[in-house]
Amino acid sequence: QITLQIDRHYITVPQGTTILEAARKTGIDIPTLCHINLKGTCIKNNPASCRICVVEVEGRRNLAPACATRCTEGMVVRTSTLRVMNARKVVAELILSDHPNDCLTCPKCGDCELQTLALRFNIRAMPFNGGELSPRKREVTSSIVRNMDKCIFCRRCESVCNEVQTVGALGAIRRGFNTTIAPAFDKMMTDSECTYCGQCVAVCPVGALTERDHTNRLLEDLEDPDKVVIVQTAPAVRAALGEEFGLPPGTLVTGKMVYALRELGFDYVFDTDFAADLTIMEEGAEILKRLTAYLNGDKSVRLPILTSCCPAWVNFFEHHFPDLLDIPSTARSPQQMFGSIAKTYWAEKMGIPREKLVVVSIMPCLAKKYECDREEFKTNGNPDVDYSISTRELARLIKRANIGFTLLTDKDFDLPMGASTGAGVIFGTTGGVMEAALRSVCEIYTGNTLENVNFEQVRGLAGVRRATIDLNGFELKVGIAHGLGNARRLLEDIRNGRNEYHAIEIMACPGGCIGGGGQPLHHGHSDVLYARANALYREDAAKPLRKSHENPYIKTLYEEYLGKPLSETAEHLLHTRYFN
Ligand code: HC0
Ligand code: SF4
């Protein structure tokens, strides 16, 4: 233990603690632009490059970066002397001297950490402006907009893409004034191995990496009298949307969200959770089919089965594990199952021609935008899901439409595709898809009713989790990984024949969808993921039905249209293939 003085506080911290960590423990908020360390995930970045966090240390001539200076016994630190404040201000002014400063029209306006610091440091002029700006690329992909002239070289995107996701799509190239962060050889992101997970967007402090915005397109569709516009909301959105309106993380806003979507003018407000229940029917049947074959001695059966509902994960295994494409479940994601059923079964029932029906999804995810665009999810060029907007985009729309979100009462989803069980709700957090599958697979396999549907063993935020479930004497071994780096480790084990599992759930984002690249920005607060996960478990616990196979509207869908799981119609509408 070390005792030191920071401003007027005497504090004791463990050996190895940095000044930044020690200060934050005492409530002294030293500003930073590059540093990030999110507990509960492995998201970290500490290149000590921005120099915004400088402090004075008694006895040292130079200012020290708080993020990279360890506390020592008896150290005396000053975080807010005039010298420190002026140094920080000059650093920010220098960053701004190579910045476009088009803040009013920047997609990050109001949510930009550089803008916030300019305000906090009382920057009222641009003393170093007027020179040349470094030349950098712009790119619009299906999911992400890259506007590198706004990049401030914090390297957060590079850390998250390389170290957490192990994709390696972004890194520094060229030198000096011409340096930029880009895929290797300055390729476009679309030509790189980027999975569109959006984690780089979630940590970018400025407007260099943002989501592709579809809000104007949506407003036009909502105004069009010839179109029927329906919406599906992903499980994780309800656990985070409230944060955009000042509600504490973990506030469930399901009913308010439905009300707001009605106010925006959607003709029907449905729930992706309905399709999550449908996914369990199909994926569960696939698990049971492979397990039964395996137990009957079929040596050709491929195990473990991997979940396939996360599009960034699908993109990742298609790029990096082309030799394992026969392992994942062929079930489409709930987003795509929803679109497929909406534009066939439901549209036929309602007498709505496909070309008049617009299916929009609200997702915590940016890769969902890319998923909508995949050719295999289109019929004669018409996509099953027309486009996806993120939780952040929805919040912007609600504000733009003058809807007083926090004052709204609760409204219910429309039927039939708004009905879901608790199993569908927990899809939004890491481990939730596996738990939902276990609730159905266990009951169907053993023929017994589960006394306790809570599979606590698969919950939590540890990067890789394993559990063994007893199925009438057969030990079913399941694994869960979130974050693509963790997924890669599991897949490499499978490739090398070192694998103990029968089924594995993988989500690309740390935390699963609750930590998706389209969620409200966490601004460095790590506890938001726990709070959002708990919110989903609360909604699940409050549901009268908690197992997907008990959803009465899913039963009707099979009776009226699909027959049974894995039927020819179900295979055609609800399953897919993978490509590399
Ligand atoms: Fe997810 Fe989904 S749970 S990927 O994490 O499976 O985005 O929330 O909508 O499709 O349901 C995201 C969240 C979904 C899908 C569902 C799955
Ligand atoms: Fe890397 Fe994901 Fe960003 Fe693509 S979207 S560059 S994979 S972090």
Side-chain angles (χ1 to χ4, degrees), residues 31 50-54 63 81-97 114 117-128:
C50 76
R51 301 279 147 169
I52 288 283
C53 70
V54 288
L63 296 176
T81 59
L82 186 59
R83 181 180 171 213
V84 166
M85 285 201 248
N86 282 339
R88 279 188 197 138
K89 189 161 171 252
V90 169
V91 171
E93 285 165 349
L94 285 168
I95 293 172
L96 288 168
S97 73
L114 181 58
L117 289 189
L119 180 69
R120 182 163 158 188
F121 298 166
N122 199 29
I123 294 177
R124 290 291 177 259
M126 302 282 194
F128 308 119

Short mmCIF file of all heavy atoms in Angstrom, two decimals, residues 31 50-54 63 81-97 114 117-128:
data_model
loop_
_atom_site.label_atom_id
_atom_site.label_comp_id
_atom_site.label_asym_id
_atom_site.label_seq_id
_atom_site.Cartn_x
_atom_site.Cartn_y
_atom_site.Cartn_z
N PRO A 31 -9.25 14.88 -16.72
CA PRO A 31 -9.75 14.60 -18.07
C PRO A 31 -8.75 13.78 -18.90
O PRO A 31 -7.54 13.88 -18.68
CB PRO A 31 -9.93 16.00 -18.68
CG PRO A 31 -8.99 16.87 -17.92
CD PRO A 31 -8.86 16.29 -16.55
N CYS A 50 -2.38 11.37 -25.69
CA CYS A 50 -3.07 12.66 -25.88
C CYS A 50 -2.52 13.76 -24.98
O CYS A 50 -2.61 14.93 -25.32
CB CYS A 50 -4.58 12.49 -25.69
SG CYS A 50 -5.13 12.34 -23.97
N ARG A 51 -1.94 13.39 -23.85
CA ARG A 51 -1.31 14.34 -22.92
C ARG A 51 -2.31 15.34 -22.33
O ARG A 51 -1.94 16.41 -21.89
CB ARG A 51 -0.16 15.11 -23.59
CG ARG A 51 0.93 14.19 -24.10
CD ARG A 51 1.85 13.77 -22.99
NE ARG A 51 2.35 12.41 -23.24
CZ ARG A 51 3.32 11.84 -22.56
NH1 ARG A 51 3.93 12.47 -21.60
NH2 ARG A 51 3.69 10.60 -22.81
N ILE A 52 -3.58 15.00 -22.37
CA ILE A 52 -4.60 15.86 -21.76
C ILE A 52 -4.59 15.69 -20.24
O ILE A 52 -4.98 16.57 -19.50
CB ILE A 52 -5.99 15.49 -22.34
CG1 ILE A 52 -6.12 15.97 -23.78
CG2 ILE A 52 -7.14 16.02 -21.50
CD1 ILE A 52 -6.38 17.44 -23.98
N CYS A 53 -4.11 14.52 -19.78
CA CYS A 53 -4.23 14.19 -18.35
C CYS A 53 -3.03 14.65 -17.53
O CYS A 53 -2.84 14.18 -16.41
CB CYS A 53 -4.47 12.70 -18.18
SG CYS A 53 -3.03 11.70 -18.59
N VAL A 54 -2.23 15.57 -18.06
CA VAL A 54 -1.01 15.95 -17.34
C VAL A 54 -1.31 16.55 -15.95
O VAL A 54 -2.33 17.22 -15.76
CB VAL A 54 -0.14 16.94 -18.15
CG1 VAL A 54 0.53 16.24 -19.31
CG2 VAL A 54 -0.94 18.15 -18.57
N LEU A 63 5.74 18.22 -16.44
CA LEU A 63 4.41 17.70 -16.10
C LEU A 63 4.38 16.21 -16.43
O LEU A 63 5.04 15.77 -17.37
CB LEU A 63 3.33 18.44 -16.89
CG LEU A 63 3.21 19.95 -16.59
CD1 LEU A 63 2.17 20.58 -17.51
CD2 LEU A 63 2.83 20.19 -15.13
N THR A 81 -3.51 23.11 -10.97
CA THR A 81 -2.82 24.40 -10.87
C THR A 81 -3.00 25.14 -12.20
O THR A 81 -3.34 24.53 -13.22
CB THR A 81 -1.31 24.20 -10.62
OG1 THR A 81 -0.79 23.44 -11.71
CG2 THR A 81 -1.05 23.46 -9.31
N LEU A 82 -2.70 26.42 -12.19
CA LEU A 82 -2.85 27.21 -13.42
C LEU A 82 -1.94 26.63 -14.52
O LEU A 82 -2.32 26.55 -15.69
CB LEU A 82 -2.51 28.67 -13.14
CG LEU A 82 -2.75 29.62 -14.32
CD1 LEU A 82 -4.21 29.59 -14.77
CD2 LEU A 82 -2.33 31.04 -13.96
N ARG A 83 -0.72 26.20 -14.11
CA ARG A 83 0.22 25.64 -15.08
C ARG A 83 -0.39 24.40 -15.76
O ARG A 83 -0.32 24.24 -16.98
CB ARG A 83 1.53 25.26 -14.36
CG ARG A 83 2.57 24.71 -15.28
CD ARG A 83 3.83 24.35 -14.52
NE ARG A 83 4.76 23.62 -15.37
CZ ARG A 83 5.57 22.68 -14.96
NH1 ARG A 83 5.59 22.32 -13.68
NH2 ARG A 83 6.37 22.06 -15.80
N VAL A 84 -1.00 23.54 -14.94
CA VAL A 84 -1.61 22.33 -15.47
C VAL A 84 -2.78 22.69 -16.39
O VAL A 84 -2.90 22.19 -17.52
CB VAL A 84 -2.09 21.42 -14.31
CG1 VAL A 84 -3.03 20.33 -14.81
CG2 VAL A 84 -0.91 20.80 -13.59
N MET A 85 -3.62 23.61 -15.91
CA MET A 85 -4.80 23.96 -16.72
C MET A 85 -4.40 24.56 -18.05
O MET A 85 -4.98 24.25 -19.09
CB MET A 85 -5.69 24.91 -15.93
CG MET A 85 -6.45 24.21 -14.82
SD MET A 85 -7.87 25.15 -14.35
CE MET A 85 -7.41 25.66 -12.74
N ASN A 86 -3.37 25.41 -18.02
CA ASN A 86 -2.93 26.03 -19.27
C ASN A 86 -2.32 25.00 -20.21
O ASN A 86 -2.53 25.03 -21.42
CB ASN A 86 -1.93 27.15 -19.00
CG ASN A 86 -2.64 28.41 -18.53
OD1 ASN A 86 -3.85 28.57 -18.77
ND2 ASN A 86 -1.93 29.28 -17.83
N ALA A 87 -1.56 24.06 -19.63
CA ALA A 87 -0.94 23.03 -20.48
C ALA A 87 -2.03 22.20 -21.18
O ALA A 87 -1.96 21.94 -22.38
CB ALA A 87 -0.06 22.13 -19.63
N ARG A 88 -3.04 21.80 -20.42
CA ARG A 88 -4.14 21.02 -21.01
C ARG A 88 -4.83 21.80 -22.12
O ARG A 88 -5.17 21.25 -23.16
CB ARG A 88 -5.19 20.72 -19.95
CG ARG A 88 -4.81 19.57 -19.10
CD ARG A 88 -5.95 19.19 -18.19
NE ARG A 88 -5.36 18.38 -17.16
CZ ARG A 88 -5.63 18.44 -15.88
NH1 ARG A 88 -6.54 19.29 -15.45
NH2 ARG A 88 -5.02 17.67 -15.03
N LYS A 89 -5.02 23.07 -21.86
CA LYS A 89 -5.73 23.89 -22.84
C LYS A 89 -4.91 23.99 -24.14
O LYS A 89 -5.45 23.84 -25.24
CB LYS A 89 -5.94 25.29 -22.22
CG LYS A 89 -6.84 26.18 -23.02
CD LYS A 89 -7.34 27.33 -22.15
CE LYS A 89 -8.06 28.36 -22.95
NZ LYS A 89 -7.35 29.60 -23.12
N VAL A 90 -3.60 24.15 -23.99
CA VAL A 90 -2.75 24.25 -25.19
C VAL A 90 -2.76 22.92 -25.95
O VAL A 90 -2.85 22.91 -27.18
CB VAL A 90 -1.30 24.65 -24.80
CG1 VAL A 90 -0.36 24.50 -25.99
CG2 VAL A 90 -1.28 26.08 -24.29
N VAL A 91 -2.73 21.81 -25.23
CA VAL A 91 -2.77 20.50 -25.90
C VAL A 91 -4.08 20.40 -26.71
O VAL A 91 -4.07 20.00 -27.88
CB VAL A 91 -2.66 19.35 -24.88
CG1 VAL A 91 -2.93 18.01 -25.55
CG2 VAL A 91 -1.29 19.33 -24.23
N ALA A 92 -5.19 20.77 -26.09
CA ALA A 92 -6.48 20.70 -26.79
C ALA A 92 -6.50 21.65 -27.98
O ALA A 92 -6.99 21.30 -29.06
CB ALA A 92 -7.61 21.02 -25.82
N GLU A 93 -5.91 22.83 -27.82
CA GLU A 93 -5.88 23.78 -28.95
C GLU A 93 -5.05 23.24 -30.10
O GLU A 93 -5.38 23.42 -31.27
CB GLU A 93 -5.32 25.13 -28.47
CG GLU A 93 -6.32 25.92 -27.63
CD GLU A 93 -5.69 27.08 -26.85
OE1 GLU A 93 -4.44 27.16 -26.78
OE2 GLU A 93 -6.46 27.89 -26.31
N LEU A 94 -3.95 22.55 -29.76
CA LEU A 94 -3.12 21.94 -30.82
C LEU A 94 -3.88 20.84 -31.54
O LEU A 94 -3.81 20.71 -32.76
CB LEU A 94 -1.81 21.40 -30.22
CG LEU A 94 -0.78 22.48 -29.87
CD1 LEU A 94 0.35 21.89 -29.03
CD2 LEU A 94 -0.22 23.14 -31.13
N ILE A 95 -4.63 20.03 -30.77
CA ILE A 95 -5.45 18.98 -31.42
C ILE A 95 -6.46 19.65 -32.36
O ILE A 95 -6.64 19.24 -33.51
CB ILE A 95 -6.17 18.11 -30.37
CG1 ILE A 95 -5.16 17.29 -29.55
CG2 ILE A 95 -7.19 17.18 -31.04
CD1 ILE A 95 -5.75 16.56 -28.36
N LEU A 96 -7.06 20.72 -31.88
CA LEU A 96 -8.07 21.41 -32.69
C LEU A 96 -7.47 22.08 -33.93
O LEU A 96 -8.17 22.35 -34.91
CB LEU A 96 -8.80 22.45 -31.84
CG LEU A 96 -9.77 21.86 -30.81
CD1 LEU A 96 -10.23 22.92 -29.82
CD2 LEU A 96 -10.99 21.26 -31.51
N SER A 97 -6.15 22.34 -33.91
CA SER A 97 -5.53 23.01 -35.06
C SER A 97 -5.49 22.09 -36.28
O SER A 97 -5.32 22.55 -37.40
CB SER A 97 -4.12 23.47 -34.71
OG SER A 97 -3.25 22.35 -34.64
N LEU A 114 -14.07 15.63 -27.35
CA LEU A 114 -13.22 16.78 -27.61
C LEU A 114 -14.01 18.08 -27.43
O LEU A 114 -13.53 19.05 -26.84
CB LEU A 114 -12.65 16.68 -29.04
CG LEU A 114 -11.70 17.79 -29.49
CD1 LEU A 114 -10.48 17.90 -28.58
CD2 LEU A 114 -11.25 17.57 -30.93
N LEU A 117 -14.41 18.79 -23.83
CA LEU A 117 -13.20 19.33 -23.21
C LEU A 117 -12.98 20.79 -23.61
O LEU A 117 -12.52 21.60 -22.80
CB LEU A 117 -11.98 18.50 -23.59
CG LEU A 117 -11.91 17.11 -22.95
CD1 LEU A 117 -10.57 16.46 -23.23
CD2 LEU A 117 -12.15 17.15 -21.43
N ALA A 118 -13.31 21.12 -24.86
CA ALA A 118 -13.16 22.52 -25.31
C ALA A 118 -14.01 23.43 -24.43
O ALA A 118 -13.59 24.52 -24.03
CB ALA A 118 -13.56 22.64 -26.78
N LEU A 119 -15.18 22.92 -24.08
CA LEU A 119 -16.07 23.68 -23.20
C LEU A 119 -15.48 23.76 -21.79
O LEU A 119 -15.38 24.84 -21.19
CB LEU A 119 -17.43 22.98 -23.18
CG LEU A 119 -18.53 23.59 -22.33
CD1 LEU A 119 -18.98 24.91 -22.93
CD2 LEU A 119 -19.73 22.64 -22.25
N ARG A 120 -15.01 22.61 -21.31
CA ARG A 120 -14.50 22.53 -19.95
C ARG A 120 -13.23 23.35 -19.77
O ARG A 120 -12.98 23.93 -18.72
CB ARG A 120 -14.24 21.05 -19.64
CG ARG A 120 -13.75 20.75 -18.26
CD ARG A 120 -13.94 19.25 -18.01
NE ARG A 120 -13.07 18.78 -16.95
CZ ARG A 120 -12.92 17.50 -16.63
NH1 ARG A 120 -13.56 16.57 -17.31
NH2 ARG A 120 -12.12 17.15 -15.65
N PHE A 121 -12.39 23.42 -20.83
CA PHE A 121 -11.13 24.17 -20.74
C PHE A 121 -11.32 25.64 -21.10
O PHE A 121 -10.35 26.37 -21.19
CB PHE A 121 -10.07 23.56 -21.67
CG PHE A 121 -9.69 22.14 -21.35
CD1 PHE A 121 -8.98 21.37 -22.27
CD2 PHE A 121 -10.04 21.55 -20.13
CE1 PHE A 121 -8.62 20.06 -21.98
CE2 PHE A 121 -9.68 20.23 -19.84
CZ PHE A 121 -8.98 19.49 -20.77
N ASN A 122 -12.56 26.03 -21.39
CA ASN A 122 -12.86 27.43 -21.70
C ASN A 122 -12.09 27.91 -22.93
O ASN A 122 -11.53 29.00 -22.95
CB ASN A 122 -12.52 28.31 -20.48
CG ASN A 122 -13.22 29.64 -20.55
OD1 ASN A 122 -14.30 29.75 -21.14
ND2 ASN A 122 -12.61 30.68 -19.98
N ILE A 123 -12.07 27.06 -23.96
CA ILE A 123 -11.40 27.46 -25.20
C ILE A 123 -12.36 28.39 -25.96
O ILE A 123 -13.45 27.98 -26.33
CB ILE A 123 -11.02 26.22 -26.05
CG1 ILE A 123 -9.95 25.44 -25.29
CG2 ILE A 123 -10.54 26.62 -27.44
CD1 ILE A 123 -9.51 24.15 -25.94
N ARG A 124 -11.93 29.60 -26.17
CA ARG A 124 -12.80 30.61 -26.79
C ARG A 124 -12.20 31.17 -28.07
O ARG A 124 -12.74 32.10 -28.66
CB ARG A 124 -13.06 31.75 -25.79
CG ARG A 124 -13.95 31.33 -24.61
CD ARG A 124 -15.38 31.06 -25.10
NE ARG A 124 -16.26 30.58 -24.04
CZ ARG A 124 -16.59 29.31 -23.86
NH1 ARG A 124 -16.10 28.38 -24.67
NH2 ARG A 124 -17.41 28.94 -22.89
N ALA A 125 -11.05 30.62 -28.47
CA ALA A 125 -10.42 31.03 -29.74
C ALA A 125 -9.57 29.86 -30.21
O ALA A 125 -9.33 28.92 -29.46
CB ALA A 125 -9.55 32.25 -29.50
N MET A 126 -9.16 29.90 -31.47
CA MET A 126 -8.34 28.82 -32.03
C MET A 126 -6.98 29.40 -32.39
O MET A 126 -6.74 29.76 -33.55
CB MET A 126 -9.01 28.24 -33.28
CG MET A 126 -10.39 27.71 -33.05
SD MET A 126 -10.32 26.11 -32.27
CE MET A 126 -12.02 25.61 -32.52
N PRO A 127 -6.06 29.56 -31.43
CA PRO A 127 -4.82 30.29 -31.70
C PRO A 127 -3.91 29.66 -32.75
O PRO A 127 -3.11 30.34 -33.37
CB PRO A 127 -4.13 30.33 -30.33
CG PRO A 127 -4.77 29.26 -29.52
CD PRO A 127 -6.14 29.10 -30.04
N PHE A 128 -4.02 28.34 -32.94
CA PHE A 128 -3.08 27.70 -33.87
C PHE A 128 -3.72 27.33 -35.21
O PHE A 128 -3.15 26.57 -35.98
CB PHE A 128 -2.49 26.43 -33.22
CG PHE A 128 -1.91 26.68 -31.86
CD1 PHE A 128 -2.41 26.05 -30.74
CD2 PHE A 128 -0.86 27.58 -31.71
CE1 PHE A 128 -1.87 26.29 -29.48
CE2 PHE A 128 -0.31 27.83 -30.46
CZ PHE A 128 -0.83 27.19 -29.33
#
